Amino acid sequence: MVKKLYKRIKVSFNALVYLKSKKVFCIGKNKTFTPALSKLFNEMGLTVGPQRPAELLAKECAENDFKRIIKYVKYRGKAFLDVPFNFTNTFKILDKEFPDSKFILTISDSPEVWYETNTSYHSKLFGDGGLPTKSDLQKAAYVYPGWMWEMNRLIYMTPEEDIYNKPILMRQYNDYNNSVIEYFENKPGKLLVVNLKDKDALLRIRDFLKSN
């Protein structure tokens, strides 16, 4: 009984701390080397929200239903990465809900580098070395069977016969990054744009997060 009570008090205290603390969102496109950020956040004592529960809310976010992702952010950590935080409307809503939060836009050397990195990763995981097909993504067991296909439709919106269309995806990459920069243009100190391949990238991120 005492142990259970202590656990409940501890959980309530942690929730209160999270509610009052600043949040950090990495909103760069997937495959912009974000695992390095997760490691840095942990070193800085920033609890990284578990990715799978957030991914399960991706479809809701894409449909502009943000109730559960807001609740998740309040209680599950201080730093968050990738899907669904890098959905256009999601990061805007979270900025309004958590006005003291900070955002990191991770970028690649170029749209083409991002495209090659992203498609190579998908090919290895879901396409047996080649670009995955619609059928491959529908059968992929990541998160749950069919989730990868759902995300492909929600994020890429490419022709079903050419789901990794290079010009379309590179244009989307550019448009998304530009939309983030434009959104934060009049919000000084809220956004850091960084290429994690730069030698001073992690130092810049540390300084950015420590600043008011």
Side-chain angles (χ1 to χ4, degrees):
M1 178 67 73
V2 174
K3 286 185 177 180
K4 288 183 178 179
L5 180 60
Y6 172 76
K7 186 175 182 180
R8 287 176 60 186
I9 293 173
K10 184 177 180 182
V11 170
S12 298
F13 175 76
N14 286 340
L16 182 61
V17 171
Y18 289 150
L19 280 168
K20 291 185 176 180
S21 59
K22 297 179 181 178
K23 307 289 183 176
V24 181
F25 300 99
C26 177
I27 57 174
K29 282 287 190 180
N30 286 59
K31 310 320 298 176
T32 50
F33 313 104
T34 50
L37 266 187
S38 184
K39 181 180 178 181
L40 176 65
F41 290 153
N42 283 318
E43 290 175 352
M44 295 182 69
L46 298 173
T47 306
V48 178
Q51 188 63 21
R52 186 54 49 85
E55 289 172 335
L56 288 169
L57 301 177
K59 191 172 182 181
E60 294 176 17
C61 292
E63 294 171 349
N64 294 322
D65 180 356
F66 302 106
K67 293 188 293 293
R68 292 209 293 169
I69 196 66
I70 290 169
K71 184 177 180 181
Y72 165 87
V73 169
K74 283 182 178 178
Y75 297 105
R76 298 302 300 269
K78 293 180 68 175
F80 307 90
L81 303 94
D82 295 334
V83 169
F85 305 102
N86 55 10
F87 288 6
T88 298
N89 289 334
T90 306
F91 78 78
K92 293 177 182 178
I93 290 295
L94 293 176
D95 178 44
K96 292 180 174 65
E97 287 291 328
F98 304 95
D100 292 330
S101 57
K102 292 198 171 189
F103 295 79
I104 299 172
L105 176 65
T106 49
I107 60 173
S108 293
D109 292 339
S110 68
E112 187 159 9
V113 169
W114 169 79
Y115 176 84
E116 295 300 334
T117 302
N118 192 43
T119 53
S120 294
Y121 179 78
H122 283 213
S123 297
K124 182 178 179 180
L125 261 63
F126 312 118
D128 197 26
L131 275 180
T133 63
K134 173 181 177 179
S135 177
D136 290 331
L137 295 186
Q138 287 175 326
K139 291 183 294 185
Y142 184 80
V143 181
Y144 57 77
W147 186 84
M148 283 302 303
W149 175 245
E150 291 177 3
M151 291 304 103
N152 181 278
R153 294 299 82 202
L154 290 172
I155 299 172
Y156 295 162
M157 298 174 288
T158 45
E160 289 195 15
E161 67 277 7
D162 188 13
I163 59 177
Y164 289 96
N165 181 285
K166 187 173 182 178
I168 292 176
L169 293 194
M170 290 198 302
R171 183 171 66 250
Q172 288 178 357
Y173 170 86
N174 267 336
D175 289 347
Y176 172 76
N177 288 348
N178 289 335
S179 74
V180 172
I181 293 169
E182 182 179 355
Y183 174 81
F184 286 103
E185 187 174 11
N186 296 317
K187 296 174 178 280
K190 295 271 295 181
L191 176 70
L192 175 68
V193 181
V194 62
N195 186 332
L196 292 179
K197 290 172 65 177
D198 292 345
K199 291 182 179 180
D200 65 342
L202 297 185
L203 181 60
R204 289 176 59 204
I205 293 169
R206 285 180 184 272
D207 291 343
F208 172 68
L209 295 181
K210 289 178 180 179
S211 64
N212 293 327

